[in-house]
Amino acid sequence: MEQKKQLVDLDWNNLGFSYIKTDYRYISYWKNGAWDEGKLTKDNQVHISEGSTALHYGQTCFEGLKAYRTKSGDIQLFRPDRNAKRMQESCERLLMPVVSEEKFIDAVKQAVKANEQWIPPYGTEGSLYIRPYMIGVGDNIGVQPADEYIFSVFVMPVGAYFKGGLTPTNFIVSEYDRAASYGTGAVKVGGNYGSSFLPWDKAQKRQFSDCIYLDPATHTKIEEVGSANFFAITKDGTFVTPASPSILPSITKYSLLHLAEHYLNMPVVEGDVYIDRLDDYAEAGACGTAAVITPIGGIQYKDDFHVFYSETAVGPVTTKLYDLLTGIQFGDVEGPKDWIVKV
């Protein structure tokens, strides 16, 4: 039987969500039209040419997923095949070489296994955050795709996004667009995030957690919540989430859609969520890898502040979905076939 590595000395119950240097990261290079085999390295510094397209033209994309320690001590990943597929779509959009699903999952497993002692113990609500990314590198200067690329995966322990359980938070509708109608909104590329810093800062200065972004064409429909997807529960119990070619296809969102329909027997709809029809919804939330679910207490739109279920308490359907999804991720609830991959 393989010997388990002794955990590093950390205050596991008080981890935040910030960078921590762990022991190893995976790195692979694309040169002359092919990927090398990749390797683990202790070096957390990336050495690239000053002409790298990632620095000048934004030729960079990334992913985010987690590894979880179960009650029995197993280590498992949640739907890494979906992250692999989404990264391939991001790469294709930026004319970068794709990483096969097999290589992607193998790289993730290598990075997780090499840093096993950094995975928070079961019961702390912590997990190992995994950040795969790809950048265009090499000696370039013209506005064109690079000839060389780096694909890397690094990891770090993170705590529960919420201290003391789920807590509703408030958002404000931004006058800025997150992405153009036919731009890069549906892929996970760096430029989408850099452009969100100013709207986020303005929201913070008005005491809101982040922005609600409307559709860029008409500014009448909700698209995303900061860097997360939006969902709501109608007063008659339907799970609703926006549909748009500008929205990043969140793995968490599609998992919640499946669980709402097949585990909670709720009607589900991907469709338009009009900003002037918020009274149709009893609960609302944002969803993504970091927090799983962020309950939305209220939304400020122009001069109106709309409260959903409560500014202080979490709605019953949101709570059920959160408990169900995290139960699957930590191995306490049996999820759909192929959602869990053991490390």
Side-chain angles (χ1 to χ4, degrees):
M1 184 175 179
E2 187 177 353
Q3 182 69 32
K4 297 288 185 181
K5 296 179 182 177
Q6 185 174 353
L7 293 178
V8 297
D9 185 17
L10 286 179
D11 184 359
W12 297 108
N13 290 300
N14 290 290
L15 289 172
F17 200 91
S18 57
Y19 180 84
I20 295 175
K21 182 186 176 184
T22 52
D23 296 334
Y24 292 95
R25 61 274 314 132
Y26 173 95
I27 192 164
S28 182
Y29 295 89
W30 168 279
K31 291 183 179 179
N32 302 316
W35 289 108
D36 66 12
E37 290 186 0
K39 64 179 182 179
L40 292 171
T41 175
K42 289 190 173 184
D43 187 3
N44 73 329
Q45 304 298 310
V46 180
H47 306 273
I48 61 175
S49 166
E50 62 188 353
S52 295
T53 57
L55 300 177
H56 304 280
Y57 307 129
Q59 202 179 22
T60 170
C61 66
F62 67 99
E63 276 298 322
L65 63 159
K66 290 177 178 177
Y68 307 84
R69 196 183 295 275
T70 69
K71 192 172 185 177
S72 64
D74 290 342
I75 300 165
Q76 58 188 35
L77 307 171
F78 181 73
R79 309 190 75 180
D81 57 315
R82 296 295 296 262
N83 292 94
K85 176 62 176 172
R86 191 169 66 180
M87 190 167 195
Q88 290 175 343
E89 292 167 353
S90 297
C91 290
E92 289 168 351
R93 180 63 177 82
L94 296 188
L95 286 181
M96 302 168 80
V98 300
V99 174
S100 70
E101 181 179 320
E102 181 182 26
K103 184 178 179 72
F104 180 96
I105 294 177
D106 176 65
V108 168
K109 284 184 174 180
Q110 284 193 49
V112 170
K113 191 66 177 175
N115 295 288
E116 180 182 341
Q117 62 272 32
W118 293 90
I119 304 175
Y122 173 85
T124 63
E125 298 185 23
S127 54
L128 192 73
Y129 183 76
I130 305 163
R131 172 55 60 87
Y133 69 92
M134 191 188 301
I135 54 176
V137 297
D139 298 324
N140 311 278
I141 197 61
V143 183
Q144 60 189 24
D147 293 324
E148 299 178 10
Y149 296 86
I150 290 175
F151 166 60
S152 184
V153 181
F154 64 96
V155 303
M156 71 208 69
V158 296
Y161 203 83
F162 303 106
K163 294 302 177 187
L166 289 173
T167 305
T169 189
N170 298 328
F171 295 84
I172 184 171
V173 175
S174 178
E175 70 272 24
Y176 291 92
D177 290 332
R178 175 186 163 269
S181 296
Y182 298 97
T184 57
V187 290
K188 204 167 177 66
V189 299
N192 293 350
Y193 296 83
S195 62
S196 72
F197 294 162
L198 179 62
W200 167 83
D201 184 63
K202 289 190 170 188
Q204 291 269 303
K205 287 175 178 174
R206 291 191 60 181
Q207 307 303 309
F208 292 94
S209 293
D210 209 332
C211 302
I212 299 283
Y213 292 104
L214 303 181
D215 70 293
T218 70
H219 282 200
T220 61
K221 296 174 284 188
I222 291 177
E223 287 213 332
E224 292 209 347
V225 187
S227 57
N229 277 195
F230 177 88
F231 73 89
I233 312 300
T234 65
K235 291 179 177 177
D236 64 359
T238 299
F239 183 102
V240 178
T241 189
S244 164
S246 301
I247 296 175
L248 184 73
S250 164
I251 293 153
T252 305
K253 179 187 78 172
Y254 282 110
S255 299
L256 292 174
L257 268 168
H258 181 92
L259 295 176
E261 181 176 11
H262 298 284
Y263 281 60
L264 301 183
N265 298 313
M266 297 172 60
V268 298
V269 174
E270 275 191 275
D272 294 332
V273 179
Y274 288 95
I275 191 61
D276 61 358
R277 298 276 303 273
L278 297 182
D279 284 334
D280 293 347
Y281 306 104
E283 301 177 37
C287 57
T289 297
V292 185
I293 291 176
T294 304
I296 298 177
I299 293 176
Q300 182 76 42
Y301 176 53
K302 297 181 179 178
D303 295 328
D304 178 63
F305 181 68
H306 178 87
V307 176
F308 292 97
Y309 183 79
S310 167
E311 287 187 78
T312 56
V314 183
V317 178
T318 300
T319 300
K320 286 179 184 178
L321 287 168
Y322 178 83
D323 290 343
L324 185 55
L325 184 55
T326 55
I328 293 170
Q329 291 170 336
F330 283 101
D332 298 324
V333 176
E334 185 174 353
K337 186 177 182 291
D338 301 328
W339 277 22
I340 296 299
V341 173
K342 299 289 185 180
V343 176

